[in-house]
Amino acid sequence: MIEFALSLLTVSAFLCLFRIGSGPTPADRMVAIDILGILVVGFCALFAVITDRAFYLNIALAWGLLSFIGTTALAKYLEGKKFDE
Amino acid sequence: MLYRKAPNTHNWYSGYNKVINVEEATEKPKISKVVFVFAVTLAVWLLFTWPFAPVDWATIIAGSIISLISGTILAGVATQHPIKALNPVRYFWAACYVFALAWWVMVANLDVAFRVLHPDVPINPGIVKVKTKLKSDSAKTALANSITLTPGTMTVDLSDEGHLYVHWINISSTEVEEATREVVGRFEWLLRRIFE
Amino acid sequence: MSEIAGQAIIIIGALFNLFGCIGLIRLPDVYNRLQGATKCVTLGTCSIMLGVLISAGVSPTGMKALAAIVFIAITAPTAAHALSRGAHKSGIPLWEGSVVDKYEEEK
């Protein structure tokens, strides 16, 4: 059953990759990157269930944090500001 | 002062656009704010190092020291009135808020799934303006995040006068009053009881 | 019992993730895509974490999953807000079928 969930997540990740490749505006690509970051958190949780090890969830938390910071930085860049204002 | 003070930024949640006055934040931190940040960080630390049934004093003491340091540094960006966190009535309303939010998030997801899987993609989008009576920064942040998670709406920006600009996927009214009643009315009364 | 319940919740979460990403493909402009994808992927990933929490119980894995639920539920809408605001400020127009844009009128 977990393998079925993993395959669903893989299809979702490929849809995100399609949007990253084809998005007409930069904002579309950034949205897809943001969504892909959250999907990776889900992947890490499923790996934690399959292998029965807790450290994958540490990776998930750190990945979620870095993905959030990266998205806000990209949003600031999109807004046309420097990073320190 | 490390950062200059910008007058017209939308400073409704710390970190993204708020200009932090470093002198105020580091020189005279109020003790209640330090305690608030210390308690929150220590709780998160204990959650991460969960099995403390055989008490591991080294872990707890290291966590306390790091929480104290971060509490001293970050006291300026904490909530303005940390004393309010001691009121148990607020926790009751917070539990109600969590259940209401879970219900509306489920409705929102079924709504999005319907719109996405429908062959015609029935949407009628636009950005409307709503207004809120909430005053404090944390309440406005919670309101904006709740609006993003509830059916068909997403916060775009928040102005200083208490107006929210909301992207609505299926507009039923462009009037401010109507839109306010439909979009903000779901959560405003709960958040006022929690935060103010 | 809790094993089966956890796996069912994980499957539901993965399905909602898939719906969100289909929305990312099918919806017409960046604001609608952001809206649909953020809602569905937030609930989907939170459900996966909830399934992990239910099947793992009170253990290090379960507690970290609980922390991850709170964390994602706070950060994902904030990131969506920042992205939509940045997209609007950088001048990306709404879909041509849109009804009204009060933010553009009152800027």
Side-chain angles (χ1 to χ4, degrees):
Chain A
M1 289 300 276
I2 299 291
E3 285 77 10
F4 180 59
L6 266 180
S7 59
L8 286 178
L9 281 186
T10 313
V11 174
S12 317
F14 272 105
L15 292 176
C16 279
L17 282 181
F18 173 74
R19 183 48 76 194
I20 291 175
S22 78
T25 62
D28 287 305
R29 297 171 209 261
M30 287 180 193
V31 171
I33 290 170
D34 179 31
I35 300 302
L36 194 57
I38 306 178
L39 284 181
V40 171
V41 176
F43 271 116
C44 289
L46 290 187
F47 279 130
V49 172
I50 289 175
T51 61
D52 202 14
R53 281 159 200 246
F55 75 89
Y56 277 109
L57 282 165
N58 295 348
I59 299 174
L61 280 163
W63 190 289
L65 180 66
L66 291 178
S67 156
F68 170 63
I69 293 173
T71 307
T72 41
L74 282 175
K76 265 212 169 320
Y77 165 74
L78 197 62
E79 214 172 305
K81 285 183 180 173
K82 295 279 170 19
F83 288 139
D84 58 346
E85 60 182 320
Chain B
M1 196 190 296
L2 289 182
Y3 303 110
R4 70 184 170 78
K5 200 155 192 168
N8 281 326
T9 47
H10 301 266
N11 49 354
W12 59 282
Y13 62 87
S14 58
Y16 176 53
N17 236 344
K18 188 166 189 170
V19 178
I20 301 163
N21 191 338
V22 175
E23 280 178 358
E24 278 180 16
T26 52
E27 279 180 8
K28 39 181 179 178
K30 285 169 81 176
I31 194 71
S32 55
K33 289 182 180 179
V34 175
V35 170
F36 179 77
V37 180
F38 172 77
V40 171
T41 11
L42 190 61
V44 172
W45 172 263
L46 290 180
L47 202 62
F48 284 167
T49 58
W50 170 256
F52 44 83
V55 180
D56 184 3
W57 284 106
T59 310
I60 294 177
I61 290 173
S64 308
I65 292 171
I66 295 174
S67 307
L68 197 61
I69 294 172
S70 52
T72 318
I73 293 174
L74 296 177
V77 298
T79 174
Q80 286 118 343
H81 303 289
I83 293 297
K84 286 181 180 174
L86 294 177
N87 190 347
V89 179
R90 294 179 194 275
Y91 289 99
F92 169 72
W93 288 112
C96 295
Y97 168 72
V98 168
F99 282 112
L101 187 67
W103 166 252
W104 283 114
V105 165
M106 269 187 272
V107 172
N109 279 272
L110 293 175
D111 179 65
V112 170
F114 165 72
R115 288 185 200 285
V116 163
L117 299 178
H118 196 278
D120 297 333
V121 191
I123 57 173
N124 186 24
I127 294 180
V128 298
K129 180 178 168 185
V130 299
K131 68 167 185 282
T132 174
K133 296 190 200 72
L134 298 176
K135 289 288 188 296
S136 69
D137 282 354
S138 39
K140 281 181 185 173
T141 310
L143 180 68
N145 281 3
S146 314
I147 285 176
T148 300
L149 287 176
T150 46
T153 49
M154 178 183 72
T155 315
V156 175
D157 201 356
L158 192 144
S159 74
D160 291 334
E161 297 89 39
H163 287 118
L164 289 133
Y165 296 94
V166 173
H167 183 266
W168 200 351
I169 206 170
N170 192 13
I171 286 184
S172 59
S173 164
T174 61
E175 295 299 317
V176 175
E177 299 296 325
E178 282 280 324
T180 302
R181 212 176 57 240
E182 286 202 33
V183 175
V184 181
R186 287 177 192 134
F187 287 111
E188 196 177 29
W189 60 280
L190 272 173
L191 289 172
R192 202 171 60 236
R193 282 170 172 79
I194 294 172
F195 287 104
E196 292 182 358
Chain C
M1 183 58 211
S2 66
E3 195 77 13
I4 295 176
Q7 291 199 356
I9 293 178
I10 286 176
I11 296 288
I12 292 172
L15 265 177
F16 272 115
N17 272 350
L18 183 65
F19 291 157
C21 290
I22 292 173
L24 200 59
I25 297 297
R26 288 200 71 194
L27 290 172
D29 74 343
V30 59
Y31 305 99
N32 291 313
R33 280 174 197 147
L34 192 52
Q35 173 152 182
T38 303
K39 281 192 187 63
C40 276
V41 171
T42 306
L43 179 77
T45 309
C46 284
S47 314
I48 289 176
M49 291 292 176
L50 189 65
V52 174
L53 173 62
I54 288 175
S55 56
V58 181
S59 67
T61 314
M63 287 304 116
K64 279 171 190 150
L66 183 63
I69 288 176
V70 176
F71 185 72
I72 290 171
I74 292 174
T75 57
T78 312
H81 156 81
L83 270 177
S84 66
R85 190 182 123 128
H88 205 288
K89 289 250 166 111
S90 77
I92 293 169
L94 269 71
W95 181 48
E96 63 264 21
S98 301
V99 182
V100 64
D101 189 354
K102 285 273 177 68
Y103 191 41
E104 184 67 41
E105 289 166 14
E106 298 182 10
K107 202 187 283 181

